[in-house]
Amino acid sequence: MNSASLSGNLSSSSEAAAWAPAAIMSLQPRISIRPALLSLSPWPPSTESRIPCLKAKKVGVSYSTRQATVCCGESYVSNGLAKNHVDNEVMQLARKAFCDEVHSRKQDETISVPKGALLIAAEDKAFVDLDKERDILALQNEGHSFSAGPRVTGIVNAGALPLGAITIGGCMESFDDIVMEVEVHLKSNEGRNRPLQILKAVNTVLFKKKGFIRSNPFGNPQSSYLDQIFIHGSGTGVMLSIIYMEICQRLGLEVNGAAVGQEFVVWPVLDGCAQMVFEPCKGGKSWMLEHNEISLLQRSALSEQSKSLPVSTGSTTDIGLLRSLEPASKRDILGIVLRNLKTVYWKRASRARPGLTISAPLQLPGAGQHNSIAGKMNLPVGALLRPQDLRLSVMASERLLLLEPRNWVLRKEHGLLLYHSRRYSEAVQELSICMALAPVHEEAMLQPFVERLHLMRLAVSWGMLSSPNTPSALV
């Protein structure tokens, strides 16, 4: 297709909207559209926004990837996080407080994992409430009689952020209540200073008296919100581990944890080494480390650890993983929580399109792979995706990049989520950064997609993709 035919087709906006995506995606670009010269700036000193910013300097229409200078000395996120997509006071304060909590200059041991998890819940809940408020306003404008609840304003600190009927500060007090119950149980058994008795007491209070149970990490997203676990008593393995480790820490017993596949295991630090490893939940497995041999205990975690236990050998996979266990950092644990949320919200967002993955747009027919979903359904970008769940998945991805700004895989997924959200300019920026950080072979795979996406962005700016019935040639 030459420039004359292109300009001819632009004469009719409706005709242009019909052919533009397919034409763009079939073009073999003759210009080089590569990532900008990127300078990932450090945390800005300005008090207006402590959220890190990303600066990109254009050089005409031609950019360079491998010649780009990328400085990743601190924690960074895109500009859209700070300005364009934070909707109200609660969301702004929750995001700022989360940034402060996981600041790269902050020592990992000073980070509060429960507080970080509650800030995640506060921001997500504020967004859902804002969405409901918009729906109510829309119904009111249509003449229906609906009343919106009072808007929360005047919040001065993170502890006052609302989580339904309580605040973050009130939720943190739940840990104090559990600690008091454990101490009462220890006093009655005269075992206050014995680590094994502390673990047994924590187990008794959490899993017998309060009845906490483990749930599927990719089922109900509420199982990944700490405040909801205190209310409903059901949470994912990592969330129960966060509660378990926090209680033990407040009782003076250090407990570490790490992800093993889809599970999360913990172990007390006794004499500088892990002597037992277990899943902190009712019916969870336990492993004992004796004389450098790992055995699997087929009983509820620490249910009768003070007694002689029948032992059966664990599987080779279990043993291999346990031998290489290293404690997860507090940032790592928050990252697991956010990964679970990103995954579960994407699954909910794409429920009407079974089999659609985040990376599906990279499977271009031009690359020799037939995109059956796009071919059969002929859908526009983002069609049939649930907007609220998609936005929550994007928000989880944004906070993941605060924790791991140099992770090119996370940045690629984030760029593709932005693409699914039709935020093309931001998607081009994030994928361009990804290309600068990724291995050469990954850069080569992303290059054609980014070039075509850049042309799509230009087409949108020309008004060529304004028709809601315009199909996507990417997905």
Side-chain angles (χ1 to χ4, degrees), residues 215-474:
S215 60
N216 180 1
F218 305 120
N220 187 345
Q222 299 304 310
S223 298
S224 290
Y225 292 127
L226 191 55
D227 62 309
Q228 295 300 306
I229 297 171
F230 283 125
I231 295 172
H232 301 293
S234 174
T236 65
V238 65
M239 299 307 298
L240 293 180
S241 298
I242 289 173
I243 296 173
Y244 200 99
M245 291 188 288
E246 179 69 14
I247 298 300
C248 289
Q249 180 182 340
R250 294 188 181 206
L251 291 166
L253 177 61
E254 182 180 358
V255 175
N256 290 328
V260 179
Q262 298 296 331
E263 305 299 333
F264 197 91
V265 298
V266 299
W267 62 91
V269 179
L270 305 174
D271 299 325
C273 65
Q275 297 177 351
M276 63 181 71
V277 180
F278 56 94
E279 297 169 339
C281 61
K282 185 176 181 180
K285 297 177 182 177
S286 299
W287 294 264
M288 289 295 292
L289 178 62
E290 297 176 341
H291 307 295
N292 295 323
E293 293 183 359
I294 300 176
S295 298
L296 177 64
L297 308 179
Q298 304 286 4
R299 289 198 177 186
S300 177
L302 295 179
S303 58
E304 297 180 4
Q305 297 289 4
S306 60
K307 300 180 181 178
S308 219
L309 294 174
V311 174
S312 60
T313 305
S315 66
T316 304
T317 302
D318 291 333
I319 293 175
L321 290 171
L322 292 174
R323 287 190 188 280
S324 59
L325 274 183
E326 291 188 5
S329 70
K330 295 184 176 182
R331 288 184 177 87
D332 291 339
I333 295 172
L334 289 172
I336 294 171
V337 175
L338 288 168
R339 279 181 171 87
N340 287 347
L341 285 170
K342 183 176 80 169
T343 300
V344 71
Y345 277 122
W346 168 256
K347 288 183 176 181
R348 287 166 62 92
S350 60
R351 186 177 297 170
R353 298 179 67 174
L356 181 66
T357 63
I358 295 176
S359 60
L362 298 179
Q363 300 171 2
L364 297 175
Q369 299 180 14
H370 178 64
N371 194 330
S372 59
I373 298 175
K376 291 179 181 179
M377 303 184 73
N378 197 30
L379 295 173
V381 178
L384 299 183
L385 296 181
R386 298 167 67 173
Q388 184 182 96
D389 291 325
L390 180 59
R391 174 66 187 279
L392 287 165
S393 185
V394 171
M395 288 165 59
S397 181
E398 289 171 347
R399 287 167 290 190
L400 265 175
L401 286 176
L402 285 171
L403 297 169
E404 302 181 53
R406 305 177 190 85
N407 189 321
W408 65 268
V409 176
L410 291 180
R411 201 167 286 277
K412 179 179 74 172
E413 291 180 350
H414 184 59
L416 292 172
L417 282 171
L418 292 171
Y419 164 76
H420 286 293
S421 305
R422 301 178 186 175
R423 291 157 61 176
Y424 300 125
S425 295
E426 296 167 80
V428 167
Q429 176 175 284
E430 291 297 332
L431 292 173
S432 297
I433 300 169
C434 172
M435 290 170 63
L437 299 172
V440 176
H441 68 278
E442 289 288 342
E443 178 193 356
M445 183 186 72
L446 284 169
Q447 181 80 17
F449 178 81
V450 175
E451 290 175 346
R452 289 166 174 79
L453 183 56
H454 184 78
L455 291 176
M456 282 191 71
R457 183 185 67 167
L458 294 176
V460 170
S461 67
W462 296 339
M464 294 168 61
L465 301 184
S466 58
S467 171
N469 296 321
T470 302
S472 165
L474 288 175

